[in-house]
Amino acid sequence: MDFKLTEEQELIRSNMREFAAKHVDPIAVEIDENARHPAEVFQQLAEGNWLGIPIPQEYGGAGADRLTHVIAVEELSRSCASTGFTLSAHVDLACTPILLFGNEQQKKEFLTPLAEGKSLGAFALTEPGAGTDVMAAATTATPDGNDYVINGTKTFTSNGPIAGTYVVFAWTDKEAGRKGMSAFIVPRNSPGLRVGEHFQKMGLRASQTSEMIFKDCRIPKENLLGQAGQGIPIAMTTFDHGRMGIAAQSIGILQAALDESVKYSKERVQFGTPIARHQAIAWMIADMATDLAAARFLTYYAAWLKDQKQPFSKEASMAKLFASEAAMKHTTKAVQIHGGYGYIKGAKVERLMRDAKITEIYEGTSEAQRMVISGNVLR
Amino acid sequence: MAGVWVFAQRCEQSLELLSIGRQLATRMGTKLVAFLQQDMARAKDLIAQGADEVLVLAPLAEDQSPDAFIPVISAEIQKEDPDLCLFAATLQGRELAARIAARLNTGLCSNCIALDIDKSDGTLRMERLIYGGAALQTVTCLTRPAMATIPPGIYKPAPADSERNGAVRVLPAPPPSAVQVIERKPKPQQAGSITEARVVIGVGRGFEKAQDLNLARELADVLGGEIGCTRPLSAELHWLSEELCIGLSGLQIKPELYMGLGVSGQIQHTTGIRNAKWICAVNSDENAPIFGVADFGIVGDLYDVIPKLLAELKK
Amino acid sequence: MPEIIACFKWVIDEAYIRRGSAGELDLSSVNYKISEYDRNAIEEAVRLREAHGGSVILVTVAAPEASKGVKDALSRGGDRAFFIADNAFHELEPSQTAAILAEVIRSRIPHDLIICGEGSGDLYAQQVGPRLAEILGIPSIAFVRKLAIEKGRVIAQRKVEEGMEVVAAPLPALVTVLPDINIPRIPGVKDTLTASKKPVVTIKKDELSGTFEALLKNLDVRATQMERHCEKYGTEPTEIARFLELLRSKGVIAA
């Protein structure tokens, strides 16, 4: 078993670290406070091919492997989880399904500009009445001449307000149950599509989240992604990839929490000694470092399996479950280590803890992950 | 043959080198020779402050670069075979020394901050900082002449003795340099060099804006001192000019008192103040690295502390 | 269409240097990187190629482990590289590096301009550039802030003690550059992935004819100590008064 990263992966990691330190660290507090999407950063990310790492070069991507993309998301999230997540949602939830299920025409027309970073992508599945229970969705897509007409409301759409292209899920044949939902590629300027309520969140505030309202939204028939009725399998496969992105994001948050906690505990003196010398604090840091290592290796393993073209769904789910719960647990500990200072705006751990919570919820709650894993193990 | 030779572009720098040069020449039982550029009248100063012989370099034309001297200096060294050649580590001094060392195929210790002859075996030990100031390397030269460049300010000029005698020899004019000077843009002269100041107030990133430096200037005036800064304040923020920058790639200072205000104490800066007699600091972070290298400090906000210091001092 | 050589060094990243418990230098967990000053040299070479055409040839002398550095340098815009690598090259002094570079450059790499960093991030002796120029018998201009090539000569703005000078020298020439000359670009993902496809010529010590003897001898390397015992004072008026009284007692401020 070779645990070494390739030289390219190591160089790409340090280049993203440098990029994040230079372009993201200085604005991380401001974009969190103002819930602002840093468009200027994404412009620069596009120039460096960061927005399509695992997409083949013929479709505008960098043509690298999934593990390289995971590393990039991790390093970017270490500086700002919102920025890391915006990138990961774009690649994993929008680029990936088009890559895996799109025809040649769709890949040229839609995937290429996304992978080149000319615009960002979004994924619209969740609805007010349908979260973990995907089948409770109500959005429909009705054929009409050369078009489909979509009606319904999607909610909690990440990148909703800023995306140029959406992958949208809607019923084409409600009677067919799990085989009745289809996936569509919907450009932003489609008639009948508008951004609905823009949500103010507890954390991940620089990531833009909104409702998407489809009112007689008309798209060409050619925009059907994959086969009619293939929607649910497309969504599930997409989540397999997205989970590695969330795990990577969680690792980035965890690494930042560890870095802050180590630094603070060496400097903060109470009872005549740096608190790092007090066993209670030292043990918290030991647990943090251990879970970080476990999360990292589990996530890299899932990505490695995918790159080896082996089944990776269970491992991706495990990585997401473990890394997200570890991120929440240890960012809470990190605030604890910082004491009162950790609770004040401007302290990095204050933001890390608020950012961590959502990783246990989106792209399949921890409960959903446990369903996937147990379903796999108990077969 | 033998001898200790010194070279600097400005007379003031030569006088500093002559002080260490004199010590070493005496220990080695040999003579001390200084090159002189530009102003022949200063030859007597060099002799008064230690030189046994002064070698006068021909004045350069307006468009000539000091690299014109490389063949002349090298030829003299090859002819007279000194033991040791010291160059002032000015920007051009460093380049000249390296080219001359290559021409002579001899070793060169750059930015040498301490020179000494080992009492037990007579080895010439030369010290310099490496790894951004984190480590101190000691080397000796295996070839002749040993060469070193010494940053200005490391040594104080030798005391003058007008009774001293010495020889003066004029060197032949060099052929034209390959490098041509097209334009010179002198920078405005700063009054009073901080390397000579008795008290230096260092300012760092603890100050929020350029105008606030006036607080430091007021304190400097009251204490009779000069202002210096950390690299970010000159190179990045451009609040102060680069020649006020103290540290690894800036000035080495040896004041009686250094007071760092809002200076965190990164090693790149503190290598410049290590030889100050007394070091004190004001910083709001009780665990700032500056307190690890200071003799006394005040833990507090400089915006609060400086006015209090001024009020107390004016009493 | 100029042929531009950019020299670079693979150095210890000083951020990873630690102190041992007895205050000694701990290099056990260090990473390596291209010396920061050399990034500026490579960037400047690439900019000149973008303006004038020609090519950028990267050259380094290192231990064989520095192959990652060669990839890193190529990812920054170099066209090809010469990797002079040997286990004997672990801790060279500047005179040796310059001599090795000179032999390879003279015998194998036609060039118009050589660009070096003003010094290396580890030793910062600032000797390799000027020594290399002297051995090759070409003019050198050090501490350059701005660089241009025209009609067979290089025009540079260089920093001197008194301010700045604009100088010119005929090509071939060597310059050493200051960090303010440019801001090195961060390589994109494709830049890194295509780096390994660019040509690299590897040269071992026994392919060279020089002996490259050391001219200096290293007697000691130790961590710098700057231990002073710091007495800390508070900010109340009584504390401020005590602090100033202490300074007066040391004779540093007037009574």
Side-chain angles (χ1 to χ4, degrees):
Chain A
M1 244 188 332
D2 186 356
F3 284 80
K4 219 172 169 321
L5 295 177
T6 63
E7 286 179 338
E8 282 77 3
Q9 285 163 341
E10 286 179 351
L11 288 171
I12 287 170
R13 182 199 289 282
S14 53
N15 287 335
M16 175 53 99
R17 179 88 308 271
E18 196 180 325
F19 181 99
K22 187 171 174 189
H23 296 293
V24 179
D25 280 342
I27 61 169
V29 170
E30 180 259 311
I31 61 176
D32 171 65
E33 246 172 55
N34 298 326
R36 176 174 80 81
H37 165 70
E40 71 283 12
V41 171
F42 280 85
Q43 171 64 30
Q44 287 158 319
L45 285 167
E47 283 163 22
N49 331 111
W50 301 99
L51 294 178
I53 293 176
I55 309 300
Q57 291 202 5
E58 64 186 298
Y59 302 118
D65 55 21
R66 194 50 65 158
L67 179 52
T68 305
H69 165 70
V70 159
I71 290 167
V73 171
E74 176 191 338
E75 287 302 330
L76 188 50
S77 301
R78 195 170 155 190
S79 288
C80 172
S82 301
T83 310
F85 172 65
T86 304
L87 191 162
S88 133
H90 160 84
V91 171
D92 300 332
L93 303 181
C95 295
T96 300
I98 303 177
L99 174 67
L100 297 176
F101 299 101
N103 58 40
E104 203 50 41
Q105 168 57 26
Q106 289 167 333
K107 288 191 272 200
K108 290 233 150 41
E109 191 182 340
F110 297 108
L111 177 55
T112 304
L114 285 174
E116 287 173 347
K118 294 205 165 79
S119 67
L120 291 176
F123 176 95
L125 172 65
T126 302
E127 297 185 13
T132 304
D133 183 7
V134 169
M135 301 291 287
T139 304
T140 54
T142 313
D144 179 29
N146 287 325
D147 303 328
Y148 276 98
V149 178
I150 304 178
N151 274 288
T153 302
K154 295 293 183 185
T155 191
F156 300 143
T157 307
S158 301
N159 296 349
I162 54 172
T165 306
Y166 301 80
V167 174
V168 180
F169 295 81
W171 292 114
T172 38
D173 181 2
K174 198 102 209 257
E175 311 303 307
R178 289 192 77 82
K179 300 212 178 129
M181 198 178 280
S182 301
F184 299 91
I185 302 172
V186 180
R188 177 73 183 87
N189 59 5
S190 304
L193 169 61
R194 67 178 180 86
V195 176
E197 185 181 345
H198 200 143
F199 299 112
Q200 289 289 322
K201 305 187 295 293
M202 171 199 284
L204 224 68
R205 288 174 50 75
S207 158
Q208 309 300 307
T209 318
S210 68
E211 285 179 325
M212 299 302 299
I213 318 277
F214 298 82
K215 195 156 152 54
D216 296 328
C217 171
R218 192 167 277 275
I219 53 166
K221 272 213 314 263
E222 290 72 32
N223 285 27
L224 172 68
L225 183 62
Q227 311 291 336
Q230 205 186 359
I232 305 250
I234 290 177
M236 293 304 118
T237 303
T238 303
F239 283 143
D240 287 341
H241 293 76
R243 274 157 202 167
M244 293 187 286
I246 303 307
Q249 185 197 349
S250 305
I251 297 166
I253 293 173
L254 252 173
Q255 180 71 62
L258 180 62
D259 293 341
E260 292 294 307
S261 301
V262 166
K263 190 163 134 234
Y264 185 80
S265 63
K266 281 185 184 174
E267 287 174 359
R268 173 69 174 173
V269 172
Q270 288 285 271
F271 302 106
T273 185
I275 61 175
R277 300 248 174 93
H278 297 307
Q279 206 169 60
I281 304 297
W283 285 12
M284 285 185 203
I285 289 181
D287 290 341
M288 206 183 287
T290 305
D291 279 353
L292 170 58
R296 182 172 274 138
F297 283 112
L298 192 43
T299 307
Y300 289 6
Y301 179 55
W304 178 83
L305 284 170
K306 152 80 190 174
D307 289 330
Q308 298 296 311
K309 299 186 179 11
Q310 298 201 30
F312 66 97
S313 177
K314 175 182 72 172
E315 290 76 9
S317 187
M318 287 172 159
K320 196 270 191 191
L321 173 63
F322 184 84
S324 59
E325 293 197 335
M328 189 66 235
K329 173 174 167 195
H330 292 294
T331 50
T332 310
K333 289 286 183 195
V335 171
Q336 193 72 16
I337 290 170
H338 281 68
Y341 291 104
Y343 204 65
I344 310 286
K345 285 278 180 213
K348 188 162 180 185
V349 294
E350 182 271 335
R351 169 165 51 95
L352 292 173
M353 185 178 161
R354 283 187 290 109
D355 285 347
K357 183 61 200 163
I358 191 63
T359 63
E360 296 184 294
I361 297 172
Y362 60 13
E363 287 193 42
T365 58
S366 298
E367 294 68 42
Q369 303 307 331
R370 287 183 164 94
M371 288 202 294
V372 168
I373 298 165
S374 58
N376 200 298
V377 173
L378 290 169
R379 250 184 228 151
Chain B
M1 279 295 165
V4 174
W5 288 26
V6 310
F7 173 92
Q9 289 171 276
R10 290 198 299 120
C11 211
E12 288 66 37
Q13 293 159 350
S14 296
L15 296 176
E16 290 176 14
L17 296 179
L18 284 175
S19 81
I20 179 67
R22 181 76 264 156
Q23 280 177 47
L24 293 170
T26 304
R27 291 271 291 283
M28 291 159 67
T30 186
K31 66 176 181 178
L32 182 56
V33 177
F35 284 94
L36 176 60
Q37 205 191 324
Q38 289 156 358
D39 186 0
M40 236 187 114
R42 307 283 320 255
K44 61 180 189 324
D45 293 328
L46 294 176
I47 293 170
Q49 285 174 260
D52 299 307
E53 185 179 1
V54 174
L55 301 175
V56 182
L57 294 160
L60 292 175
E62 258 307 291
D63 67 341
Q64 288 290 288
S65 170
D67 52 285
F69 292 134
I70 293 170
V72 175
I73 295 174
S74 305
E76 278 302 305
I77 293 174
Q78 278 167 324
K79 196 167 64 142
E80 304 291 324
D81 188 33
D83 302 279
L84 172 63
C85 297
L86 304 176
F87 283 65
T90 56
L91 295 159
Q92 288 182 303
R94 292 176 229 167
E95 190 185 357
L96 286 179
R99 288 201 71 136
I100 291 170
R103 186 174 281 229
L104 299 173
N105 199 27
T106 191
L108 167 64
C109 176
S110 296
N111 303 314
C112 174
I113 55 172
L115 273 185
D116 198 19
I117 297 180
D118 190 319
K119 287 183 178 57
S120 57
D121 59 12
T123 326
L124 178 66
R125 297 170 64 90
M126 301 183 279
E127 287 179 6
R128 60 186 309 274
L129 293 170
I130 59 175
Y131 298 137
L136 187 70
Q137 181 189 35
T138 308
V139 298
T140 192
C141 191
L142 299 171
T143 52
R144 280 184 75 85
M147 286 182 66
T149 62
I150 300 180
I154 294 284
Y155 294 103
K156 291 269 182 289
D161 170 11
S162 51
E163 305 296 305
R164 287 198 84 252
N165 286 316
V168 177
R169 185 154 65 86
V170 175
L171 295 177
S177 60
V179 176
Q180 244 197 325
V181 179
I182 298 175
E183 196 188 333
R184 289 170 211 269
K185 299 184 189 182
K187 58 179 184 241
Q189 284 304 319
Q190 295 282 331
S193 165
I194 63 171
T195 50
E196 263 109 76
R198 208 181 55 87
V199 173
V200 175
I201 309 283
V203 295
R205 280 210 195 256
F207 284 87
E208 280 163 25
K209 45 192 197 300
Q211 296 97 288
D212 298 344
L213 296 180
N214 287 326
L215 272 172
R217 288 194 184 93
E218 221 191 308
L219 187 58
D221 283 339
V222 171
L223 294 175
E226 301 281 340
I227 301 278
C229 66
T230 60
R231 190 141 216 274
L233 259 66
S234 59
E236 289 169 34
L237 297 169
H238 303 294
W239 290 354
L240 291 170
S241 76
E242 280 181 41
E243 66 248 13
L244 297 180
C245 172
I246 298 166
L248 192 69
S249 51
L251 298 170
Q252 312 277 318
I253 57 172
K254 275 165 68 165
E256 290 263 314
L257 173 69
Y258 168 87
M259 188 184 296
L261 303 174
V263 168
S264 65
Q266 298 303 317
I267 196 164
Q268 286 86 348
H269 175 69
T270 57
T271 57
I273 64 173
R274 60 210 308 272
N275 293 315
K277 185 150 180 230
W278 298 107
I279 296 178
C280 64
V282 177
N283 196 297
S284 54
D285 178 4
E286 65 185 325
N287 299 303
I290 190 81
F291 291 124
V293 304
D295 298 293
F296 347 98
I298 299 179
V299 182
D301 183 347
L302 59 89
Y303 288 97
D304 172 47
V305 171
I306 300 178
K308 285 180 177 165
L309 286 169
L310 286 167
E312 188 62 34
L313 283 164
K314 287 177 182 163
K315 276 191 190 155
Chain C
M1 301 251 284
E3 296 289 288
I4 306 169
I5 295 176
C7 299
F8 71 94
K9 188 176 182 186
W10 191 235
V11 300
I12 288 176
D13 186 343
E14 68 276 359
Y16 290 87
I17 298 179
R18 299 201 282 202
R19 300 286 164 110
S21 47
E24 77 281 12
L25 218 51
D26 177 7
L27 303 178
S28 59
S29 50
V30 291
N31 272 356
Y32 284 75
K33 60 177 183 177
I34 293 180
S35 172
E36 300 286 332
Y37 303 101
D38 296 339
R39 288 195 187 184
N40 296 103
I42 297 172
E43 175 70 29
E44 198 60 23
V46 172
R47 287 194 189 192
L48 287 171
R49 184 200 59 211
E50 283 168 356
H52 301 283
S55 66
V56 173
I57 306 126
L58 299 160
V59 190
T60 192
V61 184
E65 300 81 73
S67 56
K68 184 170 148 190
V70 177
K71 252 185 218 175
D72 188 354
L74 286 167
S75 76
R76 291 171 188 279
D79 296 295
R80 57 200 173 97
F82 283 78
F83 183 28
I84 314 166
D86 201 284
N87 277 311
F89 294 158
H90 264 105
E91 274 175 29
L92 296 175
E93 61 176 59
S95 67
Q96 295 170 303
T97 307
I100 295 167
L101 287 171
E103 184 179 326
V104 171
I105 290 174
R106 179 186 280 136
S107 58
R108 304 196 197 208
I109 319 179
H111 56 277
D112 297 290
L113 180 65
I114 304 175
I115 309 182
C116 298
E118 59 150 314
S120 68
D122 52 0
L123 300 181
Y124 200 61
Q126 301 175 304
Q127 290 184 34
V128 169
R131 278 188 182 264
L132 176 57
E134 183 64 29
I135 301 172
L136 292 176
I138 60 178
S140 64
I141 306 171
F143 307 112
V144 169
R145 258 198 179 131
K146 208 157 171 235
L147 194 52
I149 306 180
E150 53 157 71
K151 298 194 201 81
R153 60 181 198 157
V154 59
I155 317 246
Q157 247 191 58
R158 72 173 174 193
K159 190 173 171 203
V160 294
E161 236 51 38
E162 303 75 25
M164 292 271 303
E165 282 176 356
V166 178
V167 300
L171 297 178
L174 180 146
V175 300
T176 77
V177 298
L178 290 171
D180 2 350
I181 194 168
N182 58 41
I183 297 178
R185 63 198 77 180
I186 299 174
V189 180
K190 279 196 214 174
D191 297 325
T192 305
L193 296 173
T194 52
S196 56
K197 302 193 177 64
K198 296 180 180 177
V200 176
V201 173
T202 306
I203 302 173
K204 289 167 68 72
K205 186 170 188 219
D206 55 24
E207 295 173 54
L208 303 171
S209 54
T211 48
F212 316 117
E213 300 293 338
L215 306 176
L216 294 174
K217 182 170 164 198
N218 200 0
L219 297 176
D220 186 46
V221 175
R222 64 182 61 184
T224 47
Q225 300 290 358
M226 259 192 81
E227 291 291 319
R228 294 193 189 206
H229 176 67
C230 184
E231 263 178 72
K232 288 188 190 145
Y233 293 77
T235 59
E236 303 83 57
T238 43
E239 287 285 276
I240 302 271
R242 265 201 332 124
F243 173 81
L244 288 172
E245 191 45 49
L246 178 64
L247 290 185
R248 283 193 194 99
S249 73
K250 303 289 182 196
V252 280
I253 61 178

